[in-house]
Structure formats: structure tokens, C-alpha cells
Amino acid sequence: MRRKIVAGNWKMNKTLSQGLQLVDEILSAQNTSSQVLKIIAPPFTHLSSIAEKIKSKPDFAIAAQDCHHQPSGAFTGEVSAEMIASTGAKYVIIGHSERRMYAGDTTDILIQKLNCVLAVNLNPIFCIGESSEERNANTHLEAIRAQIKDTLFHLSAADFQKIVIAYEPVWAIGTGITATSYQAQGVHDFIRTEINKKYGKTISDATSILYGGSCNAQNAKELFSCADIDGGLIGGASLKSTDFVSITNSF
Ligand code: PGA
């Protein structure tokens, strides 16, 4: 069966000491289910220290929030997938809408990033999602289909199985407006059907598809009870240990 996952995307928040404290609080919380994989995605600067803290915990893993699209070279200020792997991180978030919006991550760049991540045996958490215009025009499913097809469907079946998908409607990210469980389940079901058509049922059944966009301790239970929602990619609510832990216990 596919894995239940809750991933906390800290974005550009928390100093190193604040981040270590947050991880300590999460680790010392009671009642966290070992069935749920907890992924923490801190800034690059914190990866090694946090990876060290969780290394003996099989139900925890670390993710980077991005990586460069070339394996190495003269790219001042950038961080490669191989460098990320060397910290002990196991996942990399690729295609977050904030990167697409502010950092110029085009389809072509995203394909290169995916290839870099897979080449060093890391697992991509690949984000897709429609804009409010696409949702209002009722073209959101076509937009989602295009995003998956253009960026993921060049992958071999073996590589595709390393992907975690995060459905994050852009209008729900950081806005406090969450997709209803009906809306989210509809898109998750659609994504799984598209994967089934391309890679077959065994692979589509095994793909974890997370919901992201104003998911919090209050609405996680309803979202996670949907048949095709396997967990969440959490931004704002991952910055408080009690909220994050409560979300991890919402299955
Ligand atoms: P949010 O962010 O939970 O703050 O809406 C989610 C994300 O950007 O991954």
C-alpha cells in the first residue's frame, strides 16, 4: 500500500537554532504514528544538522525545498542535488508554485531538476496545481493534466515510482482558503487516473498524492479521510510543533 506522508515545508522561516528546537519539540511529542512518514523541509543551511537529529528515526526524513537544474558547475549561490544527498536528505521538493512564480522554474527547468534529483537517488516531491483563473474557468483538470504530462510522463516506470506528487491549488497556498475535501479528492482521483492510464494500476495505486494549500490542524482530518489523499504538504502550519504533530495524527 502507498505510504501516508505529512511533509512540512518551512519555506524561508526559522534560524538554525529555532529549527533545531522545532524538530526537538516534534520528536518529543507523544502519540506520533510510526505508520506516517514525517518529512521536514527546512532551508538548505539546516539540512545536515536536522538530518543528524532524525537519522535513527525510520518514520522521519528530510527534504530540500529545491535544487539547481545542473549537476555541478559555475553557478554561484546554487545548490546541487548531489550536495543535498550528501547531507542525508532523502527528498527534494520540485516545482513548488512559489519557485515557478518567483524563480522562473519553467517546464524545461523542472524536467532537468527532476533528472538531477533522480540521478543521485533522491525522491522528488513534485508539486502541481491550478491557478484561480484556471479553477474559475473550469479548466483546472486540463491544466493539471498538462503539468503532469509535460514534466513527469517522460520518466521510466522505475523512476516514476520514486515520485511523491503534491497537489497544491495555487489559490489555496498561504491564503487560508483550503480546497474543500470534495474539490481536492476530485483532483487527486483525476491525477491517479492519469497515472493509471500512463503507467498502469499497480504504479498508480502505489503513488502517494499529498494535498497542500492552507492544510491545518483543523481541516487535515477531513482531507486525509478522502480515498485518494495520502497526506499533506504543509506550509504555515508546519512551523508550530503542536499543529504539525496534530496534522501527522489526522489519519
Ligand atoms: P500553506 O503552504 O500550508 O502555508 O498554504 C503550503 C505549501 O506552500 O506547500
Side-chain angles (χ1 to χ4, degrees):
M1 249 332 256
R2 52 187 180 259
R3 191 103 199 242
K4 303 279 184 210
I5 300 173
V6 174
N9 174 12
W10 291 2
K11 308 192 180 184
M12 198 172 72
N13 292 293
K14 303 284 177 193
T15 63
L16 179 56
S17 62
Q18 289 167 344
L20 291 171
Q21 189 188 330
L22 176 54
V23 174
D24 279 338
E25 288 170 14
I26 293 167
L27 292 177
S28 61
Q30 304 292 313
N31 306 324
T32 59
S33 162
S34 59
Q35 305 304 310
V36 179
L37 176 64
K38 276 80 68 178
I39 301 178
I40 294 171
F44 288 132
T45 45
H46 308 6
L47 287 173
S48 306
S49 322
I50 295 179
E52 183 64 28
K53 265 198 187 295
I54 56 104
K55 74 174 183 218
S56 60
K57 313 266 179 195
D59 54 329
F60 277 83
I62 301 300
Q65 297 173 16
D66 185 45
C67 72
H68 196 257
H69 59 279
Q70 293 287 334
S72 65
F75 300 104
T76 302
E78 298 292 350
V79 176
S80 73
E82 188 180 28
M83 293 169 190
I84 292 166
S86 75
T87 67
K90 297 279 181 266
Y91 291 82
V92 183
I93 299 173
I94 307 273
H96 192 281
S97 63
E98 287 154 14
R99 301 290 315 171
R100 294 179 194 246
M101 234 180 319
Y102 308 133
D105 279 9
T106 58
T107 299
D108 181 50
I109 296 275
L110 294 176
I111 291 171
Q112 294 182 56
K113 288 187 178 193
L114 277 168
N115 292 339
C116 285
V117 166
L118 290 165
V120 295
N121 283 321
L122 290 171
N123 297 83
I125 300 174
F126 192 76
C127 303
I128 52 178
E130 80 279 4
S131 65
S132 57
E133 291 78 17
E134 287 161 338
R135 170 64 68 167
N136 293 337
N138 206 24
T139 56
H140 54 288
L141 295 182
E142 281 138 70
I144 299 283
R145 180 191 284 122
Q147 288 177 23
I148 309 175
K149 194 166 152 273
D150 296 348
T151 42
L152 295 180
F153 283 1
H154 70 287
L155 296 172
S156 66
D159 275 344
F160 187 84
Q161 291 177 78
K162 298 177 188 150
I163 307 264
V164 173
I165 291 183
Y167 166 58
E168 300 205 302
V170 178
W171 46 271
I173 296 177
T175 57
I177 305 167
T178 319
T180 63
S181 53
Y182 179 78
Q183 288 172 319
Q185 166 58 25
V187 177
H188 282 232
D189 174 48
F190 176 79
I191 295 168
R192 202 176 301 287
T193 304
E194 291 297 303
I195 298 170
N196 184 358
K197 283 193 232 159
K198 169 76 184 168
Y199 293 104
K201 187 165 163 42
T202 307
I203 290 181
S204 69
D205 279 352
T207 304
S208 293
I209 308 176
L210 315 183
Y211 169 78
S214 300
C215 182
N216 57 39
Q218 285 71 48
N219 57 33
K221 215 177 187 65
E222 185 179 336
L223 286 160
F224 297 174
S225 68
C226 297
D228 290 289
I229 301 182
D230 306 307
L233 178 55
I234 318 297
S238 71
L239 298 172
K240 238 179 100 187
S241 58
T242 45
D243 287 351
F244 185 71
V245 170
S246 156
I247 294 168
T248 66
N249 287 328
S250 296
F251 291 92

